Amino acid sequence: MARAGLTPERLTRAGAELADEVGFDQVTVSALARRFDVKAASLYSHVKSSQDLKTRIALLALEELADRAAEALAGRAGKDALTALADVYRDYARAHPGRYAAAQLRLDSETAAASAGVRHAQMTRALLRGYDLTEPDQTHAVRLLGSVFHGYVSLELGGGFSHSAPDTEETWRRVLDALDALLRNWPAP
């Protein structure tokens, strides 16, 4: 019989909170069991393994990010949309570092295709239509934006920019200005 109150959803949310506290790499079924003061074996009726738990956290993080991005992008275009999307990723990573790391988890093709990751790509492509980019340039730009957003956020979270002026907020705004200028003047092949 399942322990009262334990569900896959509750365990996933608790795992996401644990990831934010101790780091995504430290999340295991055993660590989660300690949080609920139960034996790890009692959780296996809800999650198959630590990898299953991590996949569930990744899917939750992708869904949360997609929901926030959709809300932020509504009614925006051009640089305003670019800034809104970038700020969603950065703000989410700062507020939920473990979940943000989870969102980077490599998923198998079937799981990825059914995840909110698809919505991320669709929203980014919709944003890029405001810059009149067509294929294959649109795909190149999606990759560029993902690389810049993730790279900057990862370096910032890791303390890479904390030892020198100017303030990282100023740099972030300059990076977004540069991306906007590049997207408006995308180089011909």
Side-chain angles (χ1 to χ4, degrees):
M1 180 170 170
R3 189 168 181 96
L6 294 182
T7 64
E9 295 77 22
R10 185 170 179 216
L11 293 174
T12 300
R13 291 213 171 270
E17 291 169 10
L18 183 62
D20 288 338
E21 293 167 17
V22 302
F24 183 61
D25 290 342
Q26 301 303 312
V27 174
T28 63
V29 171
S30 296
L32 192 57
R34 286 191 295 278
R35 177 165 275 214
F36 284 98
D37 196 27
V38 298
K39 293 187 186 301
S42 66
L43 300 187
Y44 287 112
S45 62
H46 305 289
V47 294
K48 296 176 194 168
S49 63
S50 290
Q51 187 60 39
D52 178 44
L53 175 62
K54 286 183 173 188
T55 298
R56 290 170 183 269
I57 295 167
L59 294 172
L60 172 67
L62 287 168
E63 188 74 33
E64 289 176 344
L65 263 168
D67 290 346
R68 290 176 187 200
E71 185 177 320
L73 287 171
R76 297 176 192 248
K79 184 179 178 194
D80 192 32
L82 173 68
T83 300
L85 182 63
D87 285 345
V88 163
Y89 282 98
R90 185 174 181 224
D91 293 345
Y92 187 82
R94 289 168 146 184
H96 301 290
R99 292 177 204 209
Y100 180 76
Q104 311 311 312
L105 182 69
R106 184 179 183 141
L107 302 172
D108 65 73
S109 298
E110 186 177 319
T111 303
S115 77
V118 174
R119 286 175 55 206
H120 291 269
Q122 291 169 339
M123 285 184 278
T124 304
R125 287 180 182 281
L127 175 157
L128 290 170
R129 282 194 293 274
Y131 288 98
D132 294 324
L133 294 180
T134 58
E135 286 300 340
D137 291 331
Q138 198 175 84
T139 296
H140 296 312
V142 167
R143 292 172 180 168
L144 171 71
L145 294 179
S147 299
V148 172
F149 296 167
H150 179 65
Y152 191 94
V153 165
S154 296
L155 288 167
E156 185 178 39
L157 286 176
F161 303 140
S162 63
H163 301 102
S164 62
D167 180 68
T168 59
E169 190 62 34
E170 180 182 340
T171 304
W172 179 247
R173 296 294 152 214
R174 299 278 307 265
V175 165
L176 297 179
D177 289 344
L179 284 173
D180 175 63
L182 174 63
L183 292 170
R184 281 186 284 111
N185 299 294
W186 192 262

